[in-house]
Amino acid sequence: MGKALIIGAGGVANVVAHKCCQVPEVFEEICIASRTLKKCEDIRDKLTGSRTKVRVAQVDADQTEEVIQLIKEFQPELVINVALPYQDLTIMEACLATGVHYVDTANYEPPNVPKFEYKWQWAYREKFAQAGLTALLGSGFDPGVTGVFCAYAQKHYFDEIHTIDIVDANGGDHGYPFATNFNPEINIREITAKGRYYKEGEWIETDPLSVKKVYDLEEIGPKNIYLLYHEELESLAQNIKGIKQIRFWMTFSDNYLNHLKVLENVGMTSIEPIEFEGQQIIPLHFLKAVLPDPASLGPRTKGKTNIGCIIQGVKDGQPRTYYVYNICDHQECYAEVGSQAISYTTGVPAMIGAKLIMEGKWQKPGVYNVEEFDPDPFMADLNKYGLPWREDFAPTLLDEE
Amino acid sequence: MGKALIIGAGGVANVVAHKCCQVPEVFEEICIASRTLKKCEDIRDKLTGSRTKVRVAQVDADQTEEVIQLIKEFQPELVINVALPYQDLTIMEACLATGVHYVDTANYEPPNVPKFEYKWQWAYREKFAQAGLTALLGSGFDPGVTGVFCAYAQKHYFDEIHTIDIVDANGGDHGYPFATNFNPEINIREITAKGRYYKEGEWIETDPLSVKKVYDLEEIGPKNIYLLYHEELESLAQNIKGIKQIRFWMTFSDNYLNHLKVLENVGMTSIEPIEFEGQQIIPLHFLKAVLPDPASLGPRTKGKTNIGCIIQGVKDGQPRTYYVYNICDHQECYAEVGSQAISYTTGVPAMIGAKLIMEGKWQKPGVYNVEEFDPDPFMADLNKYGLPWREDFAPTLLDEE
């Protein structure tokens, strides 16, 4: 059917490439491009025998012109951006300049100013609409599948949704006393930031990790979950009409938080440079160099993830509750594609979003979040491509625990 | 009476200089010398008005020739070495070459091979004896006062000492979540090392911090104490005739050990260099740069130390127990000399050891540990110069708790 350009060559890119090759009728050819050609080649070398043609290219995604040149050469229908969040805008610009669709999995962040906000990308709505191009934002798991879950609930089970609790649990164990499962800088920033949730038209801020509950998760067991801000809250608060409250929760073990607290106490998570042997060094960067490489965790990680949405609302005048979730096994993911569940649950939905655009099912000129499309084909593809979901019509609610 | 050269300009040197100036009838003149002249000048500037004359000098104590030159110029009777343990041997060599007595507070350690052993310094016995010079090793608190305590018990209260437990408790609080109260590198090395104690002719090794008791300490309260190896065990096992068992215990709070464990887990206490931005950096050195400067703890530290020896044995055919200890208040020390109790309890005994040599009371050609001299004048001076001791003839024994 067509060609897709994948920008990025990390764990998620590896999953996207593997998954595209499982759908050769849609992805006839892919190109994996990143700053480091070797990383692209390493992924390509694992894909031999695929009916999808695979090529690689070197590109610096910070440079719009380089991306434009690459698109002109390769002539894809669409770009799947799984590079760094700092590069979303340069890649969107390149798509506009060359007339190709765009998919990503995380919102743009200005370098050195961690801000989870869609405003920079939403500002492109008019331009993509006029160019007749679709930009699909946040097509990972969370954001991504969580938004599709909400849209699916809205479409099939509710007249009005009143509350949504997104619960992201990682029951995986990598066997190290402490490691972060993706870029530790982003990991640490995320949980040292203030929490925030939406309630009746307002955003309410909470101190970092100050709101905690215990929730018993299927195939994982009871876990401490903590209220965090997460980017899909912004778009869902706008796109789910009549919503009264939406919150995001993530599991962290006591051991993980203890390690993080100590590292914060002694100053190792600081991004303020200190003087060391005549040089300025950022402690967090040094910590990152000391910690295990996130890429090394894949083969070691056992256990499962469980991510889903607990929804309350009204149908036909009656109160209703609904929980839709996916359980994913780290070792099964690693056996299938050579990445664990954190990368897998992000990469599969990126492929599906791209596929639906390629197939014309999710084409709509402009810039959109996942919940603004028909969820049904996406939900069907989740079952088909490795992220089957389950439903519970009588879940335990968080405020009951 | 004479002149003393103090080598070193840290917290302990500051205490030694202050204390020498309180005994001008013995210390007519002192010279404070270290690699960084400014640190010597800072100490000198706090000693104005003293009857003892104070001068300063720059010296690299790694260079025997530089130390010899300085001794030749200043012509002291004695050198008080409160520099780094790596420099004990160069300074001893310089004393031999110039014919002056020697006092230190910590045994020589080869650089990069942390070893608490007297063998390198004991190897100088013959040379000091032949030169008619006294080298007094380990005249701090522990080693130092603890050895004098044992000698005093032996002299006055026991026919035979069977067991000694040295208990070093620091009930001080500096208000930081984590900091080390002297050079963090040495601090961390000490407690990540295996424990070791002497029992009936053998040295028994224990895993780091694996042997723990609770002991209720006067003016501090009940604390966790952990079995460690400490250098005075080596000399006391030889010098206290008939000893069956000798152990050393130190307090650490759960919070302190938790911080240390995490830092060890993530690799921040390692002395193996890692690659960082093209350079080789030792994580422990970087950690040291991130942590609060030990010198900054003085004005902040509240609470007390309690260090002493719990001794069991026989007198006149009857079993006997004896506990001799000192309690020292961090804030009182700081008010008196501008250093907290950790430096104070080391610096005062260094001055006393030097004073007794200057007075001829502890002169004995050769290399000796403190317990090899008559303890009575030292015990009297402890009471006179800020470290009064207390006795308990019915203490709780450690193996009773």
Side-chain angles (χ1 to χ4, degrees):
Chain A
M1 185 174 283
K3 299 196 279 190
L5 170 61
I6 299 166
I7 301 182
V12 176
N14 174 61
V15 176
V16 172
H18 275 81
K19 286 292 168 177
C20 287
C21 289
Q22 291 178 12
V23 197
E25 62 279 17
V26 172
F27 300 98
E28 292 169 0
E29 186 170 3
I30 58 173
C31 174
I32 308 160
S34 102
R35 199 185 308 253
T36 312
L37 190 64
K38 176 71 170 62
K39 292 172 76 181
C40 306
E41 291 169 343
D42 288 346
I43 296 174
R44 180 197 60 197
D45 294 346
K46 295 194 281 182
L47 295 166
T48 49
S50 157
R51 271 174 53 211
T52 300
K53 283 173 63 181
V54 182
R55 59 158 104 172
V56 296
Q58 199 276 331
V59 71
D60 178 354
D62 286 329
Q63 309 301 326
T64 302
E65 268 313 311
E66 283 195 29
V67 182
I68 290 174
Q69 276 315 309
L70 176 59
I71 294 175
K72 282 185 177 166
E73 276 166 48
F74 181 55
Q75 303 216 327
E77 272 69 44
L78 167 150
V79 172
I80 304 173
N81 167 20
V82 283
L84 294 173
Y86 316 120
Q87 299 167 328
D88 289 0
L89 301 188
T90 50
I91 297 173
M92 287 175 83
E93 289 281 0
C95 288
L96 278 171
T98 51
V100 304
H101 304 297
Y102 172 87
V103 178
D104 70 28
T105 65
N107 68 202
Y108 171 71
E109 291 174 45
N112 306 319
V113 189
K115 276 272 186 192
F116 300 103
E117 277 187 70
Y118 280 115
K119 69 175 181 194
W120 293 280
Q121 292 183 275
W122 285 345
Y124 283 82
R125 279 170 176 159
E126 203 61 32
K127 286 183 182 170
F128 273 80
Q130 280 169 4
L133 295 171
T134 302
L136 175 62
L137 305 185
S139 188
F141 206 103
D142 45 338
V145 176
T146 50
V148 175
F149 281 169
C150 293
Y152 184 77
Q154 175 86 79
K155 181 174 176 183
H156 296 286
Y157 298 119
F158 290 93
D159 295 327
E160 265 177 42
I161 288 179
H162 293 159
T163 73
I164 300 171
D165 282 299
I166 302 171
V167 179
D168 178 336
N170 181 5
D173 180 6
H174 45 59
Y176 288 116
F178 181 77
T180 57
N181 53 27
F182 58 105
N183 185 323
E185 187 170 345
I186 292 172
N187 219 199
I188 283 167
R189 268 190 202 172
E190 187 171 56
I191 74 173
T192 52
K194 291 212 169 198
R196 198 146 56 100
Y197 68 102
Y198 176 84
K199 184 162 186 164
E200 287 159 8
E202 283 182 56
W203 289 97
I204 297 166
E205 215 168 58
T206 58
D207 284 334
L209 306 180
S210 62
V211 183
K212 166 185 167 181
K213 289 178 182 286
V214 176
Y215 198 68
D216 192 352
L217 291 131
E218 191 177 327
E219 297 197 26
I220 288 187
K223 289 279 170 193
N224 291 331
I225 59 173
Y226 293 85
L227 190 147
L228 296 187
Y229 182 70
H230 220 242
E231 63 194 73
E232 65 262 52
L233 301 186
E234 184 183 11
S235 69
L236 287 168
Q238 293 192 18
N239 292 325
I240 304 296
K241 298 301 167 214
I243 183 87
K244 291 193 169 75
Q245 175 178 286
I246 176 162
R247 301 179 295 192
F248 183 94
W249 305 84
M250 194 176 269
T251 54
F252 299 108
S253 71
D254 290 347
N255 177 61
Y256 182 87
L257 294 178
N258 178 42
H259 277 70
L260 201 80
K261 185 74 209 161
V262 164
L263 294 169
E264 206 187 344
N265 277 348
V266 302
M268 283 305 300
T269 63
S270 170
I271 54 170
E272 282 297 312
I274 65 154
E275 173 92 15
F276 180 76
E277 291 174 4
Q279 271 185 290
Q280 295 292 313
I281 293 182
I282 292 174
L284 184 58
H285 290 176
F286 188 80
L287 176 61
K288 193 170 152 180
V290 171
L291 290 177
D293 178 0
S296 74
L297 304 181
R300 306 169 52 104
T301 304
K302 296 173 182 174
K304 296 178 183 185
T305 61
N306 177 334
I307 317 174
C309 302
I310 305 163
I311 301 170
Q312 283 180 289
V314 171
K315 178 74 172 179
D316 301 328
Q318 295 298 313
R320 176 160 213 171
T321 58
Y322 176 63
Y323 180 22
V324 52
Y325 56 98
N326 162 263
I327 295 171
C328 192
D329 185 285
H330 285 289
Q331 289 185 291
E332 286 174 17
C333 295
Y334 196 79
E336 182 193 330
V337 300
S339 294
Q340 31 79 310
I342 306 294
S343 298
Y344 192 89
T345 54
T346 307
V348 171
M351 179 282 283
I352 294 172
K355 170 178 172 288
L356 295 179
I357 295 172
M358 303 274 274
E359 293 172 332
K361 293 176 186 166
W362 273 28
Q363 276 188 22
K364 184 153 74 172
V367 175
Y368 294 98
N369 294 83
V370 289
E371 66 272 18
E372 298 179 85
F373 293 91
D374 178 9
D376 291 354
F378 201 108
M379 292 293 274
D381 280 351
L382 285 172
N383 282 332
K384 196 164 169 188
Y385 296 109
L387 294 175
W389 40 276
R390 307 180 192 184
E391 296 176 310
D392 181 349
F393 291 91
T396 305
L397 301 177
L398 278 179
D399 295 321
E400 278 171 19
E401 289 266 318
Chain B
M1 187 175 282
K3 296 195 281 186
L5 170 61
I6 300 166
I7 301 183
V12 176
N14 175 62
V15 176
V16 172
H18 275 81
K19 286 292 170 179
C20 288
C21 289
Q22 291 178 12
V23 196
E25 62 279 16
V26 173
F27 300 99
E28 291 169 1
E29 185 171 3
I30 59 174
C31 174
I32 308 160
S34 105
R35 198 185 310 254
T36 312
L37 189 64
K38 175 73 170 62
K39 292 172 77 181
C40 306
E41 291 169 343
D42 288 346
I43 296 174
R44 181 197 58 196
D45 294 347
K46 294 194 280 179
L47 295 167
T48 49
S50 156
R51 270 174 52 210
T52 300
K53 281 174 65 180
V54 182
R55 60 158 103 172
V56 296
Q58 199 276 331
V59 71
D60 178 355
D62 287 329
Q63 308 302 325
T64 301
E65 269 312 312
E66 283 194 29
V67 182
I68 289 173
Q69 276 314 309
L70 176 59
I71 294 175
K72 283 185 176 164
E73 275 167 49
F74 181 55
Q75 304 215 327
E77 272 69 46
L78 165 152
V79 172
I80 304 174
N81 168 19
V82 283
L84 295 173
Y86 317 120
Q87 299 167 330
D88 289 0
L89 301 189
T90 50
I91 297 173
M92 287 176 82
E93 288 283 358
C95 288
L96 279 172
T98 52
V100 304
H101 303 297
Y102 172 87
V103 179
D104 69 28
T105 64
N107 69 202
Y108 172 72
E109 292 174 45
N112 306 317
V113 190
K115 277 270 186 193
F116 299 103
E117 278 187 70
Y118 280 114
K119 69 173 179 197
W120 292 281
Q121 292 183 274
W122 284 345
Y124 283 83
R125 279 171 177 158
E126 204 61 33
K127 286 185 182 170
F128 273 80
Q130 283 169 1
L133 295 172
T134 302
L136 176 62
L137 305 185
S139 187
F141 205 102
D142 44 339
V145 177
T146 50
V148 176
F149 282 169
C150 293
Y152 184 78
Q154 176 85 80
K155 180 174 177 182
H156 296 286
Y157 298 118
F158 291 92
D159 295 327
E160 265 178 42
I161 288 179
H162 293 160
T163 73
I164 300 171
D165 283 300
I166 302 171
V167 180
D168 178 337
N170 180 4
D173 179 6
H174 45 60
Y176 288 115
F178 181 77
T180 56
N181 54 27
F182 58 106
N183 185 325
E185 186 169 344
I186 293 171
N187 218 196
I188 283 167
R189 267 190 201 171
E190 187 171 56
I191 75 175
T192 53
K194 291 212 170 198
R196 198 146 57 98
Y197 68 100
Y198 176 84
K199 185 163 184 160
E200 284 157 11
E202 283 182 57
W203 289 97
I204 297 167
E205 215 169 58
T206 58
D207 284 334
L209 306 181
S210 63
V211 183
K212 166 184 166 183
K213 291 181 182 283
V214 175
Y215 198 69
D216 192 350
L217 291 130
E218 189 176 327
E219 298 198 28
I220 288 187
K223 291 278 171 195
N224 290 330
I225 60 173
Y226 294 86
L227 190 146
L228 295 188
Y229 182 68
H230 221 244
E231 64 195 72
E232 66 261 51
L233 301 187
E234 185 184 10
S235 69
L236 287 169
Q238 294 194 16
N239 292 325
I240 304 295
K241 299 301 167 213
I243 184 89
K244 294 195 168 72
Q245 175 178 287
I246 175 161
R247 301 179 294 193
F248 182 94
W249 305 84
M250 193 176 271
T251 54
F252 300 107
S253 72
D254 289 347
N255 177 61
Y256 183 86
L257 294 177
N258 178 44
H259 277 70
L260 202 79
K261 185 77 207 158
V262 164
L263 294 169
E264 203 185 350
N265 277 346
V266 303
M268 283 305 301
T269 62
S270 169
I271 55 170
E272 281 299 310
I274 65 154
E275 172 92 16
F276 181 76
E277 292 174 3
Q279 272 184 288
Q280 296 291 312
I281 293 182
I282 292 174
L284 184 59
H285 290 177
F286 189 80
L287 176 61
K288 193 170 153 181
V290 170
L291 290 177
D293 179 359
S296 74
L297 304 180
R300 306 170 52 104
T301 304
K302 296 174 185 172
K304 297 179 182 184
T305 62
N306 177 334
I307 317 174
C309 302
I310 304 164
I311 300 170
Q312 282 182 288
V314 170
K315 177 76 173 176
D316 301 327
Q318 296 299 312
R320 176 160 210 172
T321 58
Y322 177 62
Y323 181 22
V324 51
Y325 55 100
N326 162 263
I327 294 171
C328 191
D329 185 286
H330 286 289
Q331 289 184 292
E332 285 173 18
C333 296
Y334 196 80
E336 182 192 330
V337 299
S339 293
Q340 32 78 312
I342 307 296
S343 298
Y344 192 89
T345 53
T346 307
V348 171
M351 180 282 285
I352 294 173
K355 170 177 171 288
L356 295 178
I357 296 173
M358 302 273 275
E359 293 172 334
K361 294 177 188 166
W362 274 26
Q363 277 189 22
K364 184 154 72 171
V367 175
Y368 294 98
N369 294 84
V370 289
E371 64 271 18
E372 297 178 86
F373 293 90
D374 177 11
D376 292 353
F378 201 107
M379 292 294 272
D381 279 350
L382 286 172
N383 283 332
K384 194 163 172 190
Y385 296 109
L387 293 175
W389 40 276
R390 309 182 190 184
E391 296 175 310
D392 180 350
F393 291 90
T396 306
L397 299 178
L398 279 178
D399 295 321
E400 278 172 20
E401 289 264 318

